[in-house]
Amino acid sequence: MFKQKIIAFSPILVLVVTFLFSLTFVPSIHPTPKNLPIAIVNADKGVVLPNQTKLKMGETIMNNIKNNSNAKSNEEPSIHWIEVANEKLVESGLDNQEYYAAFIIPSDFSQKQATLQTNHPSSPTIEIMLNQGMNYTAANLAGQMLNGVAENINQNVRDEVLRGYEKAGISLTPQQVSSLITPIKTKVINVNKTGTHSANGNAPVSLFQPVWMASLIGAVLIFTAWNKTSFSNRKEKFYARIMQVIIGILLSIIVGFGLTWFADGMLGLDIPLKTDTALFITITYFSFFCMISALLAWIGFAGVPITALTLFFGAPLLAMAPEFMPAFYKDWIYPWIPMRFMVDGLRELFFFDKGLNWNHAVAVLTGIGSVSLIVMLASVIKPTRKKKEEKVSVADVEMT
């Protein structure tokens, strides 16, 4: 046994496989955000102080944020600030998944801040909007970063007000002391909420693996039956491919509605648009089924490891925001994994209440399914390997 070459090469093969599959964990080892898109609105109108100077605290905050963002020009910043004109446009951008969060300075910010040095202080409020449905983890981290920004503003305002009182030699009243503990209030608003029965916002990712594996098993079973069937001409092959497509459609409907019912009724996931979700999973399954079937039709069972590698490399990325991925995975792996379009489509259905429509995810999945269907049907022109005929020896003939 030890004389066989496979034994000698086994340590190398084991190391290669270990290294290859270890790469699937690289994106999740130390995820750090880069250029996380966050909207910022400066609606502050300013205020004219008793000495006739105009206080525009919102403008000051904006300038400080820009200066801090450009402080390390040689490194990509954690936050990519996007200035937006008003709160209505911000809400539209959040619904269209353009921002993970928003930082809003209200119109009366300077006016209320000016009262902090009076006998009747009124703390201004900054609004932080977190887009949970876009990515639960990214939105929460954005919230932590924005709370840090608000705390820095708090510290600066507190120091400025105290310097003003000290310079004027004024003693603070209990009400003024209380207002200076937290001079700037922070109001956090969760939009496109993930709810309490969504696996912490990962319900779309949780449903991906059953659909992908069911697509693989369905395609492999039908391909196995195909290999065991003899065809006399290409016309018979073509009709068999049509039957394969019909079976694929039936399987898609069964998986689409069956998985939706099971996830909602048995697993307890909160699926607000059940029929739309079932139809979308049906489209997704058929797309994956056609893609895997086309691969098997042209290269045979060698296509199975390819689908397995796609699963292993793609699955860890689906729950991550692209801004958290290493550059290699973001630019070369993530754009090419087809299952991300299923997750994107389910996010819209689960958290954005948009219903099933001709969006980007549906268009791409339909395109993948259509091209794969054509490639699969075209496989009937592929030359068939003739089985080696058994040679009958003269001795066998004599024995008969």
Side-chain angles (χ1 to χ4, degrees):
M1 185 179 69
F2 288 100
K3 293 180 180 180
Q4 298 183 36
K5 292 182 179 180
I6 189 72
I7 299 298
F9 282 106
S10 60
I12 298 175
L13 294 175
V14 169
L15 283 175
V16 169
V17 171
T18 303
F19 174 74
L20 184 64
F21 283 93
S22 295
L23 293 177
T24 63
F25 298 101
V26 170
S28 57
I29 291 175
H30 186 60
T32 54
K34 294 180 180 179
N35 290 313
L36 200 67
I38 295 179
I40 183 169
V41 177
N42 177 24
D44 183 28
K45 295 180 179 179
V47 64
V48 178
L49 301 175
N51 61 3
Q52 299 306 309
T53 60
K54 189 163 186 179
L55 176 65
K56 294 183 177 179
M57 193 59 192
E59 192 174 298
T60 302
I61 293 172
M62 293 286 287
N63 292 333
N64 289 338
I65 287 175
K66 290 178 182 177
N67 293 334
N68 291 333
S69 298
N70 298 328
K72 298 180 180 179
S73 56
N74 60 330
E75 297 181 9
E76 288 186 276
S78 299
I79 297 177
H80 172 49
W81 294 100
I82 302 173
E83 293 188 43
V84 183
N86 54 61
E87 191 170 346
K88 186 175 181 181
L89 290 176
V90 164
E91 291 175 356
S92 176
L94 292 170
D95 289 340
N96 292 327
Q97 303 187 56
E98 297 174 15
Y99 326 115
Y100 290 99
F103 191 83
I104 301 172
I105 305 170
S107 59
D108 60 354
F109 190 87
S110 291
Q111 182 180 357
K112 286 189 175 182
Q113 182 178 331
T115 67
L116 294 175
Q117 298 187 10
T118 67
N119 293 328
H120 301 285
S122 177
S123 297
T125 301
I126 287 177
E127 283 189 9
I128 296 176
M129 304 179 75
L130 305 181
N131 197 3
Q132 287 189 332
M134 187 172 178
N135 187 283
Y136 184 83
T137 302
N140 284 344
L141 183 60
Q144 294 175 20
M145 292 190 290
L146 294 182
N147 276 315
V149 172
E151 182 54 37
N152 286 336
I153 297 172
N154 252 323
Q155 185 63 46
N156 292 334
V157 170
R158 187 185 300 115
D159 293 343
E160 183 181 343
V161 173
L162 288 174
R163 281 195 299 267
Y165 279 125
E166 184 180 1
K167 185 177 180 180
I170 300 174
S171 299
L172 301 180
T173 65
Q175 188 176 2
Q176 290 171 329
V177 172
S178 177
S179 66
L180 287 178
I181 294 174
T182 309
I184 309 298
K185 303 294 184 183
T186 304
K187 181 180 180 182
V188 179
I189 302 172
N190 293 320
V191 298
N192 301 314
K193 299 178 182 179
T194 56
T196 56
H197 295 83
S198 65
N200 289 328
N202 287 319
V205 180
S206 302
L207 294 180
F208 140 70
Q209 289 191 7
V211 174
W212 182 262
M213 293 306 299
S215 304
L216 175 61
I217 291 172
V220 168
L221 288 176
I222 294 176
F223 179 72
T224 302
W226 171 280
N227 278 349
K228 293 180 179 180
T229 305
S230 299
F231 302 99
S232 58
N233 53 55
R234 289 178 177 174
K235 187 176 181 180
E236 288 185 2
K237 287 184 177 181
F238 183 78
Y239 286 149
R241 288 296 186 204
I242 295 298
M243 288 303 301
Q244 183 178 356
V245 173
I246 294 174
I247 294 172
I249 293 173
L250 293 175
L251 292 176
S252 302
I253 296 172
I254 292 171
V255 172
F257 285 84
L259 179 60
T260 302
W261 170 81
F262 182 76
D264 180 74
M266 303 296 291
L267 299 181
L269 287 181
D270 184 14
I271 302 178
L273 303 170
K274 296 178 180 59
T275 302
D276 288 5
T277 300
L279 290 173
F280 178 77
I281 294 177
T282 299
I283 295 171
T284 301
Y285 181 93
F286 187 70
S287 176
F288 292 167
F289 172 85
C290 289
M291 181 177 61
I292 298 172
S293 296
L295 190 65
L296 295 174
W298 282 95
I299 67 174
F301 284 108
V304 176
I306 296 176
T307 61
L309 287 174
T310 304
L311 170 64
F312 283 115
F313 277 94
L317 300 178
L318 296 178
M320 298 178 64
E323 291 79 9
F324 285 73
M325 300 176 190
F328 173 77
Y329 287 84
K330 179 182 178 182
D331 298 333
W332 296 100
I333 303 295
Y334 185 71
W336 296 99
I337 52 176
M339 59 278 289
R340 74 183 183 92
F341 300 103
M342 172 187 175
V343 174
D344 290 345
L346 287 177
R347 286 190 193 281
E348 287 199 9
L349 290 169
F350 283 11
F351 310 132
F352 292 85
D353 297 327
K354 292 187 176 182
L356 184 63
N357 59 80
W358 189 255
N359 53 26
H360 181 65
V362 173
V364 172
L365 288 171
T366 303
I368 292 173
S370 300
V371 173
S372 300
L373 181 60
I374 295 172
V375 172
M376 181 177 65
L377 294 176
S379 67
V380 299
I381 65 174
K382 185 181 70 169
T384 304
R385 293 182 180 179
K386 294 182 179 180
K387 297 181 179 179
K388 294 181 180 180
E389 296 181 358
E390 297 181 355
K391 294 181 179 180
V392 182
S393 64
V394 176
D396 291 336
V397 173
E398 292 178 353
M399 287 178 64
T400 57

